[in-house]
Amino acid sequence: MDWYDMIFELIDMRSFSNFWYWIGLAVLWSSAAHRVMGVPFDSIQRAKRNGGQAMIDLEDLARININRILYISGVSGLWLLGFTSFLLTTLVIMGFVYHVEFAQAVFLMAFPMSILGLMSISTAKKIQENGMTGLVLCKQLMRHRLYTQFLGMVSIFVTAVWGMYQNLSISALG
């Protein structure tokens, strides 16, 4: 057996039966839930608990990230929407029409993250328009984190069900 066969035997190229895909999915959602719109979760907790300088730091960090999100969406939002729509449509066609498992796996990661991006833009606008600061800002960021966790939970469940279906249908054929 040559090295090429050994590598492909070690690293299963089918996405849903690949251990690394599931680790990547878990890391993706764990990171998304830890950084709420670019603000680390521990900073939110520290600001709620201690106030003072921790709250000032949270407000500054949130303001910087919110301004960044709104600037990017305002300047290149239509281009990002078009490119993301093209990418997701390409993945859907490749994955679910032509049955490319890798495209299915990428779509099941990318589609919920695009929903999270839209949620982040919406929350950023809400925070900026209402001028949220202090505990109100903390509450809004915690609510956004809860929605992110719910989206991640649904996404992981749907991906797991689809992955099990794919693995069972492929093993039944082979």
Side-chain angles (χ1 to χ4, degrees), residues 143-171:
R143 183 177 300 124
H144 183 77
R145 182 173 191 257
L146 180 68
Y147 295 156
T148 300
Q149 288 174 324
F150 180 73
L151 179 64
M153 188 174 60
V154 170
S155 172
I156 290 170
F157 176 76
V158 168
T159 303
V161 169
W162 183 255
M164 284 186 285
Y165 170 75
Q166 285 295 99
N167 287 336
L168 289 173
S169 65
I170 288 172
S171 68

Side-chain angles (χ1 to χ4, degrees), residues 76-145:
S76 58
L78 288 176
W79 283 102
L80 284 173
L81 179 66
F83 180 73
T84 303
S85 298
F86 170 76
L87 179 68
L88 291 174
T89 303
T90 302
L91 289 172
V92 165
I93 292 170
M94 285 176 52
F96 299 100
V97 175
Y98 293 110
H99 305 290
V100 177
E101 188 174 323
F102 182 73
Q104 293 172 1
V106 173
F107 175 79
L108 289 171
M109 290 174 108
F111 180 68
M113 291 308 287
S114 65
I115 293 172
L116 180 60
L118 293 174
M119 286 173 33
S120 294
I121 292 170
S122 174
T123 302
K125 284 182 181 178
K126 186 177 189 178
I127 290 171
Q128 190 178 57
E129 286 172 358
N130 296 329
M132 294 181 185
T133 57
L135 293 176
V136 176
L137 174 64
C138 291
K139 185 177 178 181
Q140 184 63 43
L141 291 174
M142 294 297 284
R143 183 177 300 124
H144 183 77
R145 182 173 191 257

